[in-house]
């Protein structure tokens, strides 16, 4: 099981305050890595992997086609997708879309 350092303070970030596109790191230098992804209709991110991560994607707004491994999922606002970062992933926005991704370190057998 992955272990995260204990923190005594909380952090609050509003997604609309994050300016970077298409990716904005929500809490820099913190685990699990949290990223806001914003794509305009028709935009996509090429196939890629996130080795050593388990990923949860929450589609805050819009609609996407999400290629994960050999599958293509049509996702819409409110959908949550969980997948292994070892797989190739490629999001394609069918409408203007915003997603929040949590990339958690993969637990090791020793944990």
């Amino acid at each position: 099981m992955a272990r995260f350092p204990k923190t005594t303070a909380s952090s609050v970030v509003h997604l609309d305050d994050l300016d970077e596109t298409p990716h904005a790191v929500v809490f820099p230098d913190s685990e699990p890595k949290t990223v806001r992804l914003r794509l305009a209709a028709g935009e996509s991110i090429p196939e890629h992997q996130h080795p050593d991560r388990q990923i949860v994607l929450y589609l805050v707004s819009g609609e996407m086609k999400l290629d994960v491994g050999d599958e293509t999922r049509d996702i819409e606002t409110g959908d949550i997708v969980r997948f292994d970062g070892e797989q190739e992933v490629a999001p394609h926005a069918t409408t203007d879309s915003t997603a929040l991704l949590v990339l958690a370190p993969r637990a090791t057998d020793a944990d």
Side-chain angles (χ1 to χ4, degrees), residues 26-104:
V26 180
F27 303 108
D29 303 319
S30 295
E31 287 289 345
K33 184 175 182 180
T34 306
V35 175
R36 191 268 296 132
L37 174 65
R38 183 175 290 150
L39 297 173
E43 285 188 315
S44 62
I45 303 292
E47 275 189 352
H48 62 285
Q49 294 175 302
H50 296 279
D52 302 321
R53 298 285 183 161
Q54 291 288 326
I55 301 167
V56 173
L57 180 152
Y58 169 64
L59 193 57
V60 176
S61 64
E63 295 177 359
M64 287 185 178
K65 289 193 178 291
L66 185 66
D67 296 336
V68 179
D70 295 333
E71 294 182 320
T72 298
R73 301 268 185 186
D74 290 317
I75 59 174
E76 58 188 35
T77 299
D79 286 346
I80 302 171
V81 183
R82 181 176 179 254
F83 57 94
D84 187 322
E86 298 278 333
Q87 299 178 85
E88 293 284 338
V89 61
H92 310 276
T94 52
T95 66
D96 290 352
S97 299
T98 299
L100 187 66
L101 293 96
V102 177
L103 296 89

